[in-house]
Amino acid sequence: MDNNIFGQTDVGKVRDNNEDAFIAEELLHSGFILGCVIDGVGGYEGGEVAAEIAKNCIKKNLFNVTSEDLIPRMIGTLKLANEEIFNRKRLDPTLEQMACVLTLVLADVENNKLYYAHVGDTRLYLLRDQALVKITTDHSFVGFLEDSGRLSESAAMSHPKRNEINQALGFDSTAAMKEDFIETGESPFLPGDMLLLCSDGLTDRIDKDQITSIITQHPGLPFAAGLLIDAANEAGGHDNITVVLVKNNNKPASHEASKPIPRKETAEQQEIPLSAIPAAAAVKPLRRNRGWIYFLIGLVVVLLGVIGLLIQQVLYLQKTERQLAPILENPWEPLPATPQDTIKTPLKDSLSRTDTLSTKTQTNGKRTVE
């Protein structure tokens, strides 16, 4: 497991005492990897005491953790640590200002998962495919400005209020905690991934690009952790510096390429000789049902007959069409007589008589008839 997790802390170049603490262990009972970075707050003695209380509480309550209810178990552990620090402050007035911030991780390497709980401005980073991603958020005003994009990383690192935090274990009693006081989450922890837990003594001195360069070029965890601390000290070392690295050394799942089996060689495609089939299992040939074919043929014949009758009826109507009456230019002119319209009147002497009318014209222009 030495290849999976490593932790290191350093007092830095300015302070005389180290208020940071860390945990880097494998939990033999469950197989989880426990990593934690704790940064004490509150002066020469107070910060060390708060960090030690939180460390002991975490190791005691997560020693026999199982895969069930991990996040609630982690939240409960931090609440217990908060209560112990708060009660200790009430008993000892010299520790009135003490508190601590921390980032806690449980890594399930076997199942490629990680779970975390976080309070304050310590940080958790995930390195995947040469890219470093910050997972936790800083519980401080400057951290909020940086996470929201209102401050650049370089501006946040040099901000005069960068160390002023607004959330820490021990500030208030557990009963006064809000629901979102403890930040929690879970994420895939894939083969080849690396986790970095660190105090602000590292991130206030070197930026993310420099951190990425160090841990990607030097994959050995002890060596990489030492280089990170050395870089922070070379940049000033104004605070305690603590680093915990966790690596998933599992090999990525791979599948060997195999030649596909030809279809003719598969059991389903192999031909079975008829002699091998028992008589009882012989399948009788299916008789085709031709009734529907005959029905369709009959239906087509009937339709053709109906169509033929309709065509004959149309032709007959065209031949017997009545002649229209002639159109006359003068509608008052009598129709010309036809042989059928002449009426013969028989006389006594079997002669035909034709009556004539004589007209005389008077001088006054009137016509008289005799």
Side-chain angles (χ1 to χ4, degrees):
M1 186 56 62
D2 292 340
N3 295 327
N4 289 77
I5 188 168
F6 181 82
Q8 185 174 343
T9 186
D10 188 83
V11 69
K13 290 189 173 183
V14 175
R15 297 193 176 186
D16 297 329
N17 68 315
N18 193 345
E19 297 180 351
D20 286 0
F22 71 90
I23 304 172
E25 297 180 4
E26 178 190 6
L27 304 179
L28 299 177
H29 177 74
S30 60
F32 285 97
I33 295 176
L34 173 60
C36 185
V37 167
I38 309 167
D39 186 356
V41 179
Y44 189 83
E45 294 183 357
E48 289 185 17
V49 174
E52 191 66 21
I53 291 174
K55 178 180 178 178
N56 293 334
C57 185
I58 291 170
K59 294 180 68 173
K60 177 182 177 180
N61 287 278
L62 296 181
F63 173 76
N64 60 348
V65 69
T66 62
S67 58
E68 297 181 0
D69 300 327
L70 279 176
I71 295 296
R73 184 79 174 268
M74 296 168 76
I75 293 175
T77 298
L78 296 194
K79 287 184 176 181
L80 288 175
N82 179 83
E83 195 67 18
E84 289 188 23
I85 296 171
F86 186 76
N87 291 334
R88 180 70 179 273
K89 288 168 56 174
R90 296 173 61 184
L91 296 175
D92 190 345
T94 62
L95 303 176
E96 184 179 1
Q97 301 299 322
M98 77 172 182
C100 71
V101 295
L102 60 83
T103 299
L104 170 65
V105 165
L106 282 171
D108 185 359
V109 177
E110 182 179 355
N111 296 306
N112 300 323
K113 292 277 292 184
L114 71 90
Y115 307 84
Y116 69 90
H118 164 75
V119 176
D121 61 353
T122 51
R123 291 182 178 182
L124 171 62
Y125 289 92
L126 171 65
L127 177 70
R128 176 177 296 165
D129 298 331
Q130 310 297 312
L132 190 66
V133 179
K134 180 170 172 281
I135 295 179
T136 54
T137 57
D138 293 346
H139 298 159
S140 65
F141 177 68
V142 175
F144 168 76
L145 295 178
E146 181 182 358
D147 291 336
S148 62
R150 302 178 187 180
L151 273 182
S152 65
E153 182 183 19
S154 60
M157 291 172 63
S158 60
H159 199 284
K161 295 186 177 181
R162 64 185 180 279
N163 295 321
E164 295 183 7
I165 55 176
N166 50 35
Q167 287 183 205
L169 297 183
F171 274 179
D172 295 307
S173 66
T174 302
M177 280 186 173
K178 298 180 180 179
E179 292 184 1
D180 59 348
F181 185 86
I182 300 173
E183 178 186 342
T184 61
E186 59 183 83
S187 172
F189 185 40
L190 305 181
D193 287 355
M194 181 185 294
L195 300 177
L196 167 64
L197 296 81
C198 61
S199 62
D200 61 346
L202 178 73
T203 53
D204 282 350
R205 297 293 98 194
I206 59 176
D207 60 20
K208 189 170 71 172
D209 291 339
Q210 190 173 355
I211 294 173
T212 305
S213 176
I214 292 173
I215 61 179
T216 54
Q217 294 179 12
H218 304 89
L221 301 189
F223 190 55
L227 289 178
L228 289 173
I229 291 176
D230 290 343
N233 280 323
E234 290 176 2
H238 297 295
D239 199 354
N240 306 142
I241 310 159
T242 304
V243 171
V244 172
L245 295 172
V246 185
K247 181 71 178 292
N248 187 339
N249 288 329
N250 289 339
K251 293 182 178 180
S254 60
H255 303 279
E256 296 183 358
S258 59
K259 183 179 180 180
I261 301 175
R263 294 185 61 185
K264 292 183 179 180
E265 296 180 5
T266 59
E268 292 79 1
Q269 299 296 328
Q270 292 179 355
E271 295 184 0
I272 302 176
L274 295 177
S275 59
I277 302 176
V283 181
K284 295 181 180 181
L286 298 176
R287 295 183 60 185
R288 296 181 179 179
N289 187 2
R290 298 182 178 179
W292 63 274
I293 298 178
Y294 297 145
F295 171 77
L296 291 177
I297 294 174
L299 182 61
V300 172
V301 172
V302 172
L303 291 176
L304 291 176
V306 172
I307 293 172
L309 292 176
L310 291 175
I311 294 174
Q312 291 181 0
Q313 184 68 16
V314 171
L315 295 175
Y316 174 77
L317 291 176
Q318 290 178 350
K319 290 180 180 180
T320 58
E321 183 180 5
R322 293 184 179 181
Q323 296 182 357
L324 297 176
I327 300 176
L328 303 177
E329 295 182 0
N330 186 4
W332 301 107
E333 182 180 358
L335 293 175
T338 61
Q340 293 81 359
D341 296 333
T342 303
I343 301 177
K344 294 182 179 179
T345 303
L347 298 177
K348 292 181 180 181
D349 53 359
S350 299
L351 296 176
S352 296
R353 185 186 66 178
T354 301
D355 296 331
T356 60
L357 297 176
S358 60
T359 59
K360 292 183 180 180
T361 302
Q362 297 182 357
T363 58
N364 57 5
K366 295 182 179 182
R367 184 178 63 179
T368 61
V369 180
E370 294 181 355

